[in-house]
Amino acid sequence: MDVLDILRRQAGRFQCPKCGQSLAECQLEMVTHHDDQSLVKVTCAHCQDTRLIAVAFAAETETEAPAIDVRDEPAEDLGVAISADDVLDARLALAGHAGDLESLLR
Ligand SMILES: [Zn+2]
């Protein structure tokens, strides 16, 4: 499973919290991958704002696309060193989304 490929297909549903533009053309970079959870760096193509998001994939089936669960507290779960600023960034990214989590992911 290519996490970045899946995220890329969904990125257009995200909005940059800083400039409000669609993240469809954003840059995605895998920071760390652990089991079914990944930390991905997202760089806005419009304002170059960079933030980290943590994604976790639900159990896969052969017929359904995996669900993406964006979490706002990645540090403990992923066991990687993340500064307080990074966590805050991720929180702000999620807080900047206008809809609820359901609409963010579907
Ligand atoms: Zn932006």
Side-chain angles (χ1 to χ4, degrees), residues 3-24:
V3 174
L4 292 184
D5 184 53
I6 293 168
L7 277 178
R8 166 64 62 195
R9 282 185 235 151
Q10 307 229 358
R13 304 182 183 206
F14 292 75
Q15 283 186 327
C16 173
K18 188 170 183 179
C19 71
Q21 295 295 308
S22 166
L23 288 177

